[in-house]
Amino acid sequence: MSEESAPKRARLDRRVIVDAILRLAREEPHARVTFKRLGEALGVDATAMYRHFRNKEELTRAALDRLSAIAVAEAEASGGGWRERLEAHLLRIAELSLEHPSIAAEGAILDPAGPGDVAGDEFVLARLSEAGLDGAELIRAYAAVSGFALAQSAAMAQEVMARRGAARDGSIPWISGFGSVELSDFPLVSRHRDALLAIDGMAVYRAGVSAILDSVA
Amino acid sequence: MSEESAPKRARLDRRVIVDAILRLAREEPHARVTFKRLGEALGVDATAMYRHFRNKEELTRAALDRLSAIAVAEAEASGGGWRERLEAHLLRIAELSLEHPSIAAEGAILDPAGPGDVAGDEFVLARLSEAGLDGAELIRAYAAVSGFALAQSAAMAQEVMARRGAARDGSIPWISGFGSVELSDFPLVSRHRDALLAIDGMAVYRAGVSAILDSVA
DNA sequence: ACCTGAACACCGTTCAAGT
DNA sequence: ACCTGAACACCGTTCAAGT
């Protein structure tokens, strides 16, 4: 919010670059983020970023960490029971991913090792502990829930990038059609055809989160 | 199995090309599949593929569909109860993804609209129907379970490609380390540090599948 | 110390030309 | 009909040169 989108010659540092890459991801959800476009937005040469980040992966990791930090900060201010707070947090992660598709698309690849990521882990572990889990059960539930949230968020972000018309609210058709497949060979798919085509990314996300948390409770 | 890896001048068709791209993905799990390398493997020019597939996405989609068809064929021959068969099928999808990382990494993006994909949907719906689900419940469970399987398989495949040392059996650390993060700020992460670092991709996969199927049962 | 700009080694894709 | 090969518009990354 402190920066405008007009090319402005700014003194670079890691924070300014991460601001810029997230803004770019937000404003042009269907375009890949490249060093060239990032440089244009910052009014510097495309290769200037290499003074501040070893490579694109390190920059992307820093941007993802920032998104995680934002989600945690909001989640910690939230009220309610463990499940309510955890669901709200996981939903927020999906929303932030959909708002920054070109960044979030990498989310499932880069391992979460920054301060924001670890704060997210702590939040999830705290809620699951409140739910009464501990030991191996706690770790298993943590793995299921955060693995699902990360992988599914990244998948939705990738869809937003790949499909030109995809909306940012998660209403991306999960199955866009059955093409030339002869559906009469598949009775259940035939019978539930319309319901299957109506599934969108966010519905998958909610269904998965609910199912996993049901099993916790 | 019918083709050798030595450059062999073959008459091209879609089946031969899909054979070759899967073989390449299997033999060089850490390398991206490019038209150049595919052309070398087939003994043709890199651009020869464009006569048979509109673009790389269509080729990748065909390869993913083939993997899905393989998994379904095996699953249909399997025995046991609905849960046993469904778990075996989902596990096989993950295994095939890990064996073909460069292809499976795209799995979460491209929507499953080929005959093999639809056969997979039918299999999952059939098992969940046996479990007693129908209507909205059935669709919700289908979305949760197949969304998780696809997204998580793709995420694991992406990790195999990104990390040079990653094994093909899914033993990819989910969190590779906590870097320079001051863990004393995060009591639960600190307390479960070793258990968290011991989580691997396949453990996340199994935990997620179990949790979702628990909620079905 | 920090940024520039040329250069390199790749990509997917198009298209006129060959056979 | 099918494949070739040059060409194009991109990528990330390196590195010597500027200031």
Side-chain angles (χ1 to χ4, degrees):
Chain A
M1 295 293 161
S2 59
E3 305 289 329
E4 289 305 316
S5 61
K8 176 197 279 189
R9 191 63 157 59
R11 181 146 206 86
L12 291 189
D13 61 33
R14 290 172 69 105
R15 203 181 58 79
V16 169
I17 294 174
V18 169
D19 284 345
I21 203 172
L22 288 178
R23 184 166 7 97
L24 223 58
R26 225 177 294 129
E27 291 174 357
E28 297 175 43
H30 300 300
R32 274 184 66 186
V33 170
T34 67
F35 278 129
K36 184 161 167 289
R37 296 179 55 253
L38 187 53
E40 283 162 8
L42 283 164
V44 298
D45 190 85
T47 62
M49 263 57 75
Y50 283 91
R51 192 137 290 266
H52 305 277
F53 294 94
R54 262 230 313 266
N55 52 31
K56 206 186 180 190
E57 181 180 329
E58 197 182 283
L59 169 52
T60 306
R61 203 194 299 264
L64 285 167
D65 190 69
R66 174 84 132 269
L67 290 181
S68 183
I70 293 170
V72 173
E74 294 177 10
E76 282 181 339
S78 74
W82 69 267
R83 178 159 183 163
E84 207 176 338
R85 296 185 73 196
L86 188 48
E87 273 182 337
H89 179 232
L90 296 173
L91 202 71
R92 188 69 183 117
I93 288 173
E95 286 171 0
L96 285 168
S97 293
L98 287 167
E99 287 166 15
H100 305 85
S102 51
I103 297 297
E106 313 288 326
I109 316 178
L110 310 174
D111 66 333
D117 297 316
V118 177
D121 294 339
E122 180 75 17
F123 185 83
V124 172
L125 289 171
R127 291 326 121 225
L128 293 173
S129 294
E130 282 173 17
L133 298 189
D134 199 6
E137 262 187 354
L138 173 64
I139 299 300
R140 240 177 55 106
Y142 159 82
V145 88
S146 71
F148 181 81
L150 260 59
Q152 185 65 20
S153 292
M156 284 192 285
Q158 287 169 348
E159 295 250 15
V160 170
M161 293 217 44
R163 326 248 158 259
R164 48 191 179 6
R168 298 214 247 190
D169 58 357
S171 59
I172 315 141
W174 196 245
I175 301 168
S176 68
F178 292 107
S180 55
V181 179
E182 187 47 70
L183 284 195
S184 59
D185 298 337
F186 306 108
L188 288 164
V189 174
S190 287
R191 174 149 25 122
H192 297 96
R193 188 179 180 281
D194 294 342
L196 290 170
L197 291 176
I199 298 173
D200 65 25
M202 218 39 146
V204 173
Y205 193 83
R206 273 191 298 261
V209 167
S210 296
I212 293 172
L213 295 189
D214 282 348
S215 88
V216 168
Chain B
M1 294 293 158
S2 60
E3 303 291 327
E4 289 306 314
S5 61
K8 175 195 281 189
R9 191 61 157 60
R11 180 145 206 88
L12 290 190
D13 61 33
R14 291 174 67 106
R15 202 181 58 78
V16 169
I17 294 173
V18 169
D19 282 346
I21 202 171
L22 288 177
R23 187 173 358 105
L24 223 57
R26 224 177 296 129
E27 290 173 357
E28 297 175 41
H30 300 299
R32 275 184 64 187
V33 170
T34 67
F35 278 130
K36 185 162 167 286
R37 295 179 55 251
L38 188 53
E40 282 162 7
L42 284 164
V44 298
D45 190 82
T47 62
M49 264 56 76
Y50 283 90
R51 192 138 289 267
H52 306 276
F53 294 95
R54 261 234 309 272
N55 51 31
K56 206 185 178 188
E57 181 179 331
E58 196 182 283
L59 169 53
T60 306
R61 203 193 299 264
L64 284 167
D65 190 70
R66 175 82 133 270
L67 290 182
S68 184
I70 293 169
V72 174
E74 294 177 11
E76 281 179 340
S78 73
W82 70 267
R83 178 160 184 161
E84 205 175 340
R85 295 184 74 195
L86 188 47
E87 274 181 336
H89 179 232
L90 296 172
L91 202 73
R92 189 69 184 116
I93 288 173
E95 284 171 1
L96 285 168
S97 293
L98 287 166
E99 286 167 15
H100 306 85
S102 51
I103 296 299
E106 314 288 325
I109 316 180
L110 310 173
D111 66 336
D117 297 315
V118 177
D121 293 339
E122 181 75 15
F123 185 83
V124 172
L125 288 170
R127 291 324 123 227
L128 292 173
S129 294
E130 283 173 15
L133 297 189
D134 199 6
E137 261 188 352
L138 172 65
I139 299 301
R140 241 178 54 105
Y142 160 82
V145 86
S146 71
F148 181 81
L150 260 57
Q152 185 65 21
S153 291
M156 284 192 286
Q158 287 168 348
E159 296 250 16
V160 170
M161 292 216 46
R163 326 246 158 260
R164 47 191 181 7
R168 297 213 246 192
D169 57 358
S171 60
I172 313 142
W174 196 244
I175 301 169
S176 68
F178 292 107
S180 55
V181 179
E182 186 48 69
L183 282 195
S184 58
D185 298 338
F186 306 108
L188 288 164
V189 174
S190 287
R191 176 150 23 120
H192 298 96
R193 186 179 182 281
D194 293 344
L196 290 170
L197 290 176
I199 297 171
D200 65 26
M202 220 37 150
V204 173
Y205 193 84
R206 273 190 298 259
V209 168
S210 295
I212 293 172
L213 295 187
D214 281 348
S215 88
V216 168

